Amino acid sequence: LAEQGYSVTLLDASDNPGGLSGGFRDSEGRAVEVGMKGFWYQYWNTWRLVDELGTEHTRMLITCAWM
């Protein structure tokens, strides 16, 4: 919208904005992410943003702490 000349204001009710992109530390200080994250091929708008930012995305790595 901003690229089209509209004034944009982002509102978030949380003290720690981000929704499912947020995270927190558990009682033992370990980092915990909220929700599942991924760049699925159907999310064309996400890939377009990655392209606009000039981010290299030819290789994706998946890591899991519990594996």
Side-chain angles (χ1 to χ4, degrees):
L1 292 172
E3 288 178 357
Q4 296 175 11
Y6 293 93
S7 176
V8 177
T9 302
L10 179 63
L11 303 175
D12 196 312
S14 174
D15 291 336
N16 184 17
L20 292 179
S21 295
F24 61 93
R25 299 239 175 227
D26 68 9
S27 61
E28 297 179 19
R30 295 176 294 204
V32 178
E33 293 185 8
V34 180
M36 185 173 79
K37 295 160 184 67
F39 293 102
W40 318 126
Y41 71 91
Q42 301 96 329
Y43 296 166
W44 61 267
N45 56 332
T46 300
W47 290 111
R48 190 168 108 197
L49 176 61
V50 169
D51 288 338
E52 285 179 17
L53 295 173
T55 305
E56 181 65 39
H57 60 85
T58 57
R59 182 175 170 184
M60 303 295 268
L61 298 174
I62 300 173
T63 59
C64 297
W66 63 87
M67 293 180 77

